[in-house]
Amino acid sequence: MSAHARAIDEVQRPVRPVAVLVACAFIMFWIGPLYAWSLFVEPLESLLQESRASISGVFSIANVGFTVGLLVGPFSYGRVSLSHLSLLTIALGASGLLLASGFMSLWSVWIGYGGLFGLANGLGYALCLQIVHNTLPGRAGLGTGVIVSSYALGSIAWSPLLSWSISQYGPAATLMGSAVAAVLIGGAAHAILMRSGATLQAQTSKQDENSTTPRLMPIVILWFGFLFGSITGMLTIGHASPIVSAQGGGAAAVALAVVLVTIGNFIGRFAGGWTSDRMAPHRSTAALQALAAGSIAVALIWPGPNSSLMMLFAVGLGYGWMSGSYPVIIAQKFGSASVGKIYGYVNTAWGVAALVAPYAAGMIFDIAANYDTALTISGATAFCACLVLLAMQRLRS
């Protein structure tokens, strides 16, 4: 069957919105454990007798794979069937985890977990975003909120299970079990998806009829907004526990730092998407970035563990809100058929922030012996993200 015929066949099926959301939520859930990687760092460091930097590099590779998957995946829409793309995501993710577990070498973990599983994350993330915006017109904001929060939920829910499994059976067996879970949960998601009436046909992007602004300009503005917001999120979230510890927080406060920033991220992802059906998403996202900037300022003016914890929740909320609202902003500006492709372009800004910000914050701390300078930069970038998003108003007029 040709790609054109497959697209027509998908369009003609009755859409079952609940099934679409369940299938996409399952996909996001099984790829979400990518962000539980920190649980494997010390066990693999000990098992493989490698440096902390070498093992930590796996997550950097995974972030690159995620960015590449988001960027290249949408170019297959309309050319490759939805069924084949869903199966490819499962195959890449499961084989990557199996490779990492089967050989237990630095290279196998780099290629398997970092490369293949990271790539599967990007492909699956983009696929779900595009499906929701193609098949749920008028409710795409709610759908986006559900699926991007499911991605965060995957990390939250899998973390204690993975931690227990590593302590009981070791990292190799845990990675192999994760591969089995990827096949089972991913297979269930695939079966539901094929019966949901979801569509993935390629369409022509919407052009703003009343705007004389070049099409490149809104992409550039969105890119810089995502870059500034991602720097704030990755710089602050990536050092959540050390920030609280540096402010004199005890063991309970240090543990609470991770919990609060994760809860904020989860709530923000759902609310950022859901509210986008009811209010201008660029304005709400700008407001949350302003809130993050204000909370960082408070933490700097009145330092201490309590203000730092408040700040981390606000930053997590703003970062998650941006993740939930950005696909809707893109759909409103470029049309629902272009969400995956344009989001892939914009998400390269996150890739830059993910590679640079955590390392830069650590380097600044090594020099200054505190996080004040890093947090000042984080607050400034949040404020810049707010200003850039408000600039979208001129492009919408």
Side-chain angles (χ1 to χ4, degrees):
M1 184 184 293
S2 68
H4 178 67
R6 282 192 296 265
I8 293 175
D9 180 59
E10 288 177 351
V11 171
Q12 290 175 341
R13 295 171 185 167
V15 177
R16 299 162 59 193
V18 174
V20 171
L21 284 179
V22 170
C24 290
F26 273 19
I27 292 172
M28 290 292 217
F29 184 79
W30 81 256
I31 63 177
L34 180 73
Y35 284 85
W37 165 251
S38 61
L39 296 170
F40 290 96
V41 172
E42 290 187 359
L44 285 176
E45 183 182 352
S46 175
L47 179 64
L48 301 180
Q49 294 297 296
E50 297 286 351
S51 67
R52 178 67 57 91
S54 297
I55 299 298
S56 299
V58 175
F59 192 57
S60 295
I61 295 170
N63 287 334
V64 173
F66 183 95
T67 303
V68 170
L70 269 174
L71 188 62
V72 304
F75 288 96
S76 65
Y77 301 164
R79 298 178 176 88
V80 182
S81 71
L82 175 57
S83 175
H84 288 163
L85 287 171
S86 174
L87 291 173
L88 176 62
T89 302
I90 298 171
L92 284 172
S95 63
L97 293 169
L98 281 175
L99 176 62
S101 68
F103 291 92
M104 270 294 104
S105 68
L106 181 62
W107 284 103
S108 69
V109 179
W110 274 2
I111 297 171
Y113 197 103
L116 296 179
F117 189 47
L119 182 62
N121 264 254
L123 291 175
Y125 201 101
L127 187 67
C128 290
L129 285 178
Q130 191 61 65
I131 288 170
V132 165
H133 282 266
N134 272 9
T135 57
L136 300 176
R139 304 299 301 276
L142 173 62
T144 300
V146 169
I147 63 172
V148 299
S149 60
S150 296
Y151 188 74
L153 182 62
S155 178
I156 296 170
W158 282 104
S159 291
L161 179 60
L162 292 174
S163 179
W164 172 82
S165 179
I166 291 171
S167 66
Q168 293 294 315
Y169 305 107
T174 300
L175 287 168
M176 186 171 294
S178 299
V180 174
V183 172
L184 294 177
I185 301 174
H190 176 78
I192 298 170
L193 191 62
M194 292 303 97
R195 292 164 175 76
S196 67
T199 60
L200 201 61
Q201 74 278 10
Q203 298 175 10
T204 303
S205 302
K206 180 182 75 175
Q207 176 69 46
D208 233 343
E209 297 178 356
N210 298 323
S211 175
T212 59
T213 306
R215 288 187 57 77
L216 180 62
M217 186 56 64
I219 297 177
V220 170
I221 289 178
L222 287 169
W223 192 90
F224 275 102
F226 211 65
L227 174 68
F228 291 134
S230 296
I231 289 174
T232 300
M234 299 306 294
L235 189 152
T236 309
I237 295 171
H239 291 263
S241 293
I243 287 172
V244 174
S245 178
Q247 293 297 328
V254 169
L256 185 59
V258 177
V259 173
L260 285 178
V261 78
T262 303
I263 291 174
N265 184 26
F266 174 76
I267 293 174
R269 283 172 177 264
F270 177 76
W274 177 54
T275 59
S276 295
D277 288 331
R278 296 163 173 78
M279 64 179 70
H282 67 289
R283 291 179 182 172
S284 65
T285 307
L288 266 294
Q289 289 299 312
L291 175 65
S295 69
I296 293 171
V298 169
L300 287 169
I301 296 171
W302 294 286
N306 291 334
S307 61
S308 295
L309 289 171
M310 177 200 70
M311 180 253 322
L312 288 169
F313 176 79
V315 170
L317 185 67
Y319 179 71
W321 196 288
M322 182 178 69
S323 299
S325 67
Y326 247 71
V328 184
I329 295 173
I330 291 170
Q332 291 178 354
K333 192 65 190 174
F334 297 95
S336 61
S338 295
V339 169
K341 181 168 66 176
I342 302 300
Y343 189 80
Y345 296 154
V346 172
N347 190 73
T348 59
W350 174 88
V352 172
L355 286 175
V356 174
Y359 176 80
M363 183 177 66
I364 292 170
F365 179 83
D366 288 339
I367 295 172
N370 61 60
Y371 279 101
D372 289 356
T373 302
L375 287 175
T376 300
I377 295 172
S378 182
T381 55
F383 184 68
C384 288
C386 171
L387 295 180
V388 169
L389 285 163
L390 289 177
M392 286 294 298
Q393 179 65 36
R394 292 179 60 86
L395 297 177
R396 294 173 63 87
S397 59

